[in-house]
Amino acid sequence: MREIHLSLSTEALRYEELSAEEQRLVDAAREATLRSYAPYSHFSVGAAVLLENGETVSGTNQENAVYPSGLCAERTTLFYANSRYPTAAVVALAIAARNEAGLLSRPLPPCGACRQVMLETEQRFGRPMTLLMSGTEEIYRINGVQHLLPFAFDSEFL
């Protein structure tokens, strides 16, 4: 038997410790939560991406009475960014969430399906993206999806 040790890196920061560009991206994700369509869960998620061409694109979660038919904010945003700017790599992606009491104090991690889409977005453009998981008390900054998705399934297995 052989034991495998993983090393994952995450920075926990206050909003004031982010760069001005990162603050703008977090602000865009937080603002996007106000446009979410979440009539059933009342749990609104917003995401915003900064593209290498300087454009910022945001999106929200979209619910449906048939729950599996909805879509997460991260995938909505990444798919829209790719549709609008198909040759622009994603530099950073910010995520924020709110419930009926307001913005969440703890950073919200992306689901597994969103992590897979982020991984394939990185692979497509051959560069890691910075992920900013935003809470009001602190923000996690992760450089590269491999820190969220070790042992990832990718096209090399196909």
Side-chain angles (χ1 to χ4, degrees):
M1 178 178 90
R2 149 178 100 90
E3 193 170 321
I4 299 172
H5 295 273
L6 300 175
S7 176
L8 305 175
S9 177
T10 302
E11 297 173 283
L13 305 128
R14 292 184 317 277
Y15 179 84
E16 301 76 31
E17 294 175 298
L18 298 174
S19 70
E21 186 173 69
E22 289 172 327
Q23 287 179 359
R24 283 191 295 276
L25 197 60
V26 166
D27 291 344
R30 289 176 175 176
E31 189 274 327
T33 65
L34 299 171
R35 298 189 315 270
S36 166
Y37 181 69
Y40 307 104
S41 70
H42 306 286
F43 188 77
S44 298
V45 181
V49 293
L50 172 63
L51 302 173
E52 69 179 349
N53 65 3
E55 294 290 332
T56 298
V57 174
S58 63
T60 65
N61 61 320
Q62 300 292 307
E63 289 184 353
N64 190 285
V66 181
Y67 272 96
S69 297
L71 193 62
C72 299
E74 300 91 329
R75 284 181 283 157
T76 299
T77 303
L78 288 168
F79 294 157
Y80 177 63
N82 181 64
S83 293
R84 181 90 195 245
Y85 303 101
T87 61
V90 174
V91 174
L93 182 145
I95 306 165
R98 75 172 54 247
N99 56 28
E100 291 175 321
L103 288 169
L104 299 186
S105 60
R106 294 178 38 210
L108 177 73
C111 75
C114 289
R115 293 174 195 214
Q116 183 68 31
V117 169
M118 289 179 217
L119 173 74
E120 293 196 30
T121 299
E122 284 186 343
Q123 290 176 339
R124 176 180 179 189
F125 293 104
R127 64 178 286 178
M129 70 176 75
T130 298
L131 179 63
L132 300 165
M133 296 185 300
S134 170
T136 58
E137 294 179 10
E138 64 184 356
I139 297 165
Y140 294 164
R141 179 168 53 202
I142 299 170
N143 293 309
V145 177
Q146 77 276 7
H147 294 287
L148 282 177
L149 193 60
F151 298 112
F153 178 83
D154 63 23
S155 61
E156 291 184 19
F157 289 103
L158 300 177

